[in-house]
Amino acid sequence: DQQVKQNSPSLSVQEGRISILNCDYTNSMFDYFLWYKKYPAEGPTFLISISSIKDKNEDGRFTVFLNKSAKHLSLHIVPSQPGDSAVYFCAAPLYSGAGSYQLTFGKGTKLSVIP
Amino acid sequence: NAGVTQTPKFQVLKTGQSMTLQCAQDMNHNSMYWYRQDPGMGLRLIYYSASEGTTDKGEVPNGYNVSRLNKREFSLRLESAAPSQTSVYFCASSVRATGEQYFGPGTRLTVT
């Protein structure tokens, strides 16, 4: 049963516009969320994170919003650039016992920014 | 500072063959992980090592074994490869279990 869900497999956005990537989660115990970006033939790279004590975290063109009551987070990219074209993964650490955590990932959303 | 390195980059195996995927990190991270990525499935955790000397199963451990050789190195072994293990394998490391993970470039494995 997927605990982190990205329901949109793909998204196309015009260059300069806003990209909004969505992520839903089912486990109310999650208290920290991460976004990763992945280019083809490369490993994922960390993009931005948010703690559940916040509802927004911003880093340059990237902002993540967290709505705990809706169990929803979103990544906003403003303005979108062609270099942002990649697959974006939402992830959350899941406690697995004995002080260990597993990072559980969504299936990813492929963003295409059209010049 | 190379970060996380993986060898090999590509591998083709026949069903039943064995192989070991190597991973090393030079960031002095405590935790290391092995994932597989399949089309439409996201990243699924195979095994992880929260600290040197410990290993634990992840979501999809069947058919795999791991060794945390030292703090730097974490290897993944396929004892008898099956076509269902055709995938891209990523190794990752992190300072602490809940922190951001740093990924290697991946190994693309095909089992025929």
Side-chain angles (χ1 to χ4, degrees), chain A residues 8 10 25 35-37 47 51 54 58 60 87-88 94 104-105 107 115:
Chain A
S8 298
S10 62
Y25 61 96
W35 283 93
Y36 283 82
K37 176 179 179 178
L47 189 58
S51 164
K54 295 184 173 182
E58 195 171 348
V87 177
Y88 290 79
L94 180 65
T104 186
F105 285 84
K107 292 185 177 181

Side-chain angles (χ1 to χ4, degrees), chain B residues 26-68:
Chain B
D26 61 3
M27 297 174 283
N28 201 35
H29 285 172
N30 293 316
S31 302
M32 297 185 74
Y33 313 83
W34 276 105
Y35 294 89
R36 59 178 289 173
Q37 187 192 13
D38 302 294
M41 296 296 292
L43 288 148
R44 294 184 293 169
L45 184 65
I46 305 170
Y47 270 93
Y48 65 102
S49 170
S51 61
E52 188 179 354
T54 68
T55 60
D56 286 288
K57 296 178 180 179
E59 183 185 351
V60 288
N62 292 344
Y64 305 95
N65 283 302
V66 290
S67 294
R68 183 75 184 264

Side-chain angles (χ1 to χ4, degrees), chain A residues 42-59:
Chain A
E42 293 184 13
T45 54
F46 170 73
L47 189 58
I48 192 169
S49 62
I50 188 165
S51 164
S52 62
I53 62 172
K54 295 184 173 182
D55 54 17
K56 176 182 172 181
N57 189 27
E58 195 171 348
D59 183 1

Side-chain angles (χ1 to χ4, degrees), chain A residues 11-71:
Chain A
L11 174 68
S12 287
V13 170
Q14 209 70 28
E15 181 179 3
R17 299 288 190 102
I18 183 171
S19 295
I20 300 177
L21 295 95
N22 294 306
C23 179
D24 297 298
Y25 61 96
T26 58
N27 191 336
S28 57
M29 299 299 290
F30 286 149
D31 60 4
Y32 185 66
F33 300 90
L34 306 93
W35 283 93
Y36 283 82
K37 176 179 179 178
K38 186 184 178 305
Y39 292 118
E42 293 184 13
T45 54
F46 170 73
L47 189 58
I48 192 169
S49 62
I50 188 165
S51 164
S52 62
I53 62 172
K54 295 184 173 182
D55 54 17
K56 176 182 172 181
N57 189 27
E58 195 171 348
D59 183 1
R61 297 185 297 114
F62 301 90
T63 302
V64 57
F65 295 92
L66 176 61
N67 182 334
K68 289 185 287 293
S69 60
K71 294 194 179 71

Side-chain angles (χ1 to χ4, degrees), chain A residues 72-90:
Chain A
H72 176 84
L73 58 156
S74 59
L75 174 68
H76 293 214
I77 307 173
V78 185
S80 301
Q81 299 174 354
D84 297 328
S85 297
V87 177
Y88 290 79
F89 293 99
C90 173

